[in-house]
Amino acid sequence: GENVGLHLPTLSVQEGDNSIINCAYSNSASDYFIWYKQESGKGPQFIIDIRSNMDKRQGQRVTVLLNKTVKHLSLQIAATQPGDSAVYFCAENPSRRALTFGSGTRLQVQP
Amino acid sequence: SQTIHQWPATLVQPVGSPLSLECTVEGTSNPNLYWYRQAAGRGLQLLFYSVGIGQISSEVPQNLSASRPQDRQFILSSKKLLLSDSGFYLCAWSVVTTGNTIYFGEGSWLTVV
């Protein structure tokens, strides 16, 4: 079936470097995408979202890029900090009923 | 501002025992409500969602059930727990007009022994 998936299960970066987390989606009906951050033992937290009529959206230190042609979503984190260490999920809403989540990527920031 | 509370935060239950997890949302009216489950080190699986009082949609057939007795209250239940029910249960809410961004509670860790 159609699903949202991630290319890399674990990403390790040095503090201060930029991080890029990738996500592939396959449901062309999705028109809204979200990135969540989940710290250990906590619920996922909203980071940034993007609608399908956009290809880029920036927040504070984060940027989401959407490539509808290849059904690819990425999250860029600038100047990665130890507090950014977490699992990151992308999510899509193919039906406006509920979000479908990918399997997650663990970001490890080395001091 | 909106807040979501779920409890208990942690529980250990024997196989065959009942389950009741409760979730309440404050600061909004008529939210969509959700129960997700997350197995250790895995993604989030949608279990139930509700668009209104008494309206429950089940995504995965299993021995769990959900109820929404009040507008901002969502309950996850089971009559007899299985070992496979162990996991991290997350309640969440959304408002459709905002694009269906889902906001999560802090979660409940369930260990069935």
Side-chain angles (χ1 to χ4, degrees):
Chain A
E2 297 186 295
N3 58 71
V4 176
L6 295 175
H7 296 303
L8 298 173
T10 303
L11 176 65
S12 184
V13 300
Q14 292 293 319
E15 181 178 359
D17 288 351
N18 296 332
S19 302
I20 300 176
I21 301 173
N22 297 302
C23 176
Y25 69 94
S26 57
N27 194 325
S28 57
S30 295
D31 61 358
Y32 183 59
F33 304 88
I34 308 173
W35 280 100
Y36 286 88
K37 172 186 179 183
Q38 185 177 27
E39 297 177 328
S40 180
K42 296 185 178 181
Q45 293 179 297
F46 171 90
I47 301 175
I48 192 168
D49 59 1
I50 188 168
R51 297 193 179 277
S52 59
N53 61 353
M54 304 171 65
D55 54 18
K56 180 179 181 180
R57 191 171 187 211
Q58 288 184 295
Q60 187 175 14
R61 283 201 307 119
V62 296
T63 301
V64 55
L65 299 178
L66 175 62
N67 186 329
K68 295 180 289 293
T69 301
V70 295
K71 296 186 177 68
H72 185 267
L73 192 68
S74 68
L75 176 70
Q76 300 178 1
I77 304 174
T80 312
Q81 302 169 0
D84 295 327
S85 293
V87 176
Y88 290 81
F89 293 95
C90 64
E92 61 174 337
N93 74 330
S95 64
R96 284 200 164 271
R97 185 188 69 236
L99 296 178
T100 301
F101 287 81
S103 56
T105 292
R106 183 174 301 280
L107 176 65
Q108 296 177 334
V109 181
Q110 307 298 328
Chain B
S1 63
Q2 299 86 3
T3 57
I4 180 170
H5 306 281
Q6 66 175 104
W7 66 95
T10 306
L11 67 165
V12 179
Q13 294 284 98
V15 169
S17 66
L19 171 73
S20 180
L21 299 179
E22 190 165 342
C23 170
T24 59
V25 179
E26 298 176 358
T28 186
S29 296
N30 197 31
N32 291 346
L33 297 173
Y34 310 85
W35 279 110
Y36 281 84
R37 177 170 59 195
Q38 185 175 32
R42 304 291 296 276
L44 295 106
Q45 178 188 35
L46 177 64
L47 301 176
F48 301 95
Y49 73 95
S50 171
V51 298
I53 296 174
Q55 301 179 62
I56 310 294
S57 295
S58 174
E59 293 295 303
V60 182
Q62 55 205 329
N63 68 321
L64 299 173
S65 62
S67 61
R68 184 170 178 174
Q70 300 180 40
D71 180 45
R72 293 170 290 173
Q73 183 184 26
F74 207 24
I75 299 171
L76 182 69
S77 304
S78 175
K79 293 182 179 179
K80 290 185 178 181
L81 285 168
L82 306 173
L83 287 174
S84 58
D85 291 324
S86 294
F88 191 43
Y89 288 82
L90 290 154
C91 182
W93 69 275
S94 73
V95 177
V96 176
T97 54
T98 63
N100 219 21
T101 301
I102 292 180
Y103 300 94
F104 289 89
E106 287 301 305
S108 298
W109 284 101
L110 170 65
T111 303
V112 183
V113 297

